[in-house]
Amino acid sequence: MNDKRYAARHRARMSKALMLQAQQNPENTDLNLGLPESLTGFDFNADCPWDKITRFYPEFKQLDTQQLECRLPDLKSGQEILFPKGIRSAELRMDSFTVNPMKKTIQLNVLSTYTVEISLSQTTLPALWTFGIPADPAWLIVLGTLIFKSDFPQRTAGTSGSSTYLFAKSVVL
């Protein structure tokens, strides 16, 4: 990746997500988790922005305080996923995790992973991905990653893939 501004871009987005915390009562960090929703849409690969290669939007619905549901439409190359030249397939991976950025020791708690292969010749059927949410106060985040696969070993950052935060929300029970 040649994005020399990545660290600054991510730091700025994280600062925005944490900004609300500074304005609230800092004594009860379990209830003042900031505004993680502002992370949604951050592009990890500036050379290949998520919204330039995808034309689908996962639908997230919190079923209750302990479960999140993600609905994916059918995915077809050239329609919902735009492959760069020379790309024949891709892997869509979505990882859900919780993290409490207000703790002294920050730990990432991986909850679930969903993976699907997308090819030029085949449509991927709609999918439903459901996973449990722990009872600890934290940010619940879903990270989407699309990794392109090519017959050519030398790829630029623009053809390697893209990642973004697809979902982010405070979980306060």
Side-chain angles (χ1 to χ4, degrees):
M1 179 161 44
N2 297 328
D3 184 359
K4 294 180 175 145
R5 302 261 321 128
Y6 167 77
R9 290 186 311 106
H10 196 264
R11 213 174 16 256
R13 189 65 71 101
M14 189 62 75
S15 291
K16 184 177 178 181
L18 293 168
M19 187 176 297
L20 188 61
Q21 167 63 23
Q23 299 168 358
Q24 294 178 347
N25 182 357
E27 288 146 14
N28 190 349
T29 58
D30 286 348
L31 298 177
N32 298 320
L33 290 172
L35 190 63
E37 291 85 351
S38 61
L39 294 174
T40 305
F42 175 81
D43 282 308
F44 285 85
N45 183 352
D47 292 334
C48 188
W50 184 268
D51 64 351
K52 299 287 185 201
I53 60 168
T54 63
R55 299 290 183 264
F56 73 95
Y57 303 93
E59 294 178 25
F60 293 96
K61 180 179 178 184
Q62 192 165 346
L63 301 175
D64 55 32
T65 57
Q66 297 179 344
Q67 272 196 324
L68 186 73
E69 173 183 277
C70 174
R71 290 186 180 273
L72 289 165
D74 56 334
L75 301 174
K76 186 174 183 181
S77 168
Q79 291 181 12
E80 288 77 27
I81 308 287
L82 305 177
F83 285 1
K85 186 178 179 180
I87 301 299
R88 303 235 181 276
S89 65
E91 177 184 280
L92 172 64
R93 179 183 170 124
M94 298 192 324
D95 295 290
S96 63
F97 59 91
T98 57
V99 62
N100 187 335
M102 306 307 169
K103 298 281 185 183
K104 283 191 179 205
T105 304
I106 297 176
Q107 293 181 317
L108 196 71
N109 177 23
V110 178
L111 303 176
S112 181
T113 298
Y114 174 82
T115 305
V116 65
E117 290 289 324
I118 301 157
S119 70
L120 283 173
S121 60
Q122 193 173 355
T123 299
T124 303
L125 297 175
L128 177 64
W129 174 43
T130 305
F131 55 88
I133 303 170
D136 301 323
W139 287 358
L140 172 61
I141 297 175
V142 176
L143 177 70
T145 303
L146 191 61
I147 301 168
F148 293 126
K149 298 179 180 180
S150 171
D151 297 333
F152 308 108
Q154 300 293 346
R155 291 185 281 170
T156 66
T159 60
S160 62
S162 185
S163 287
T164 190
Y165 294 117
L166 293 172
F167 179 88
K169 181 178 179 181
S170 288
V171 177
V172 182
L173 301 173

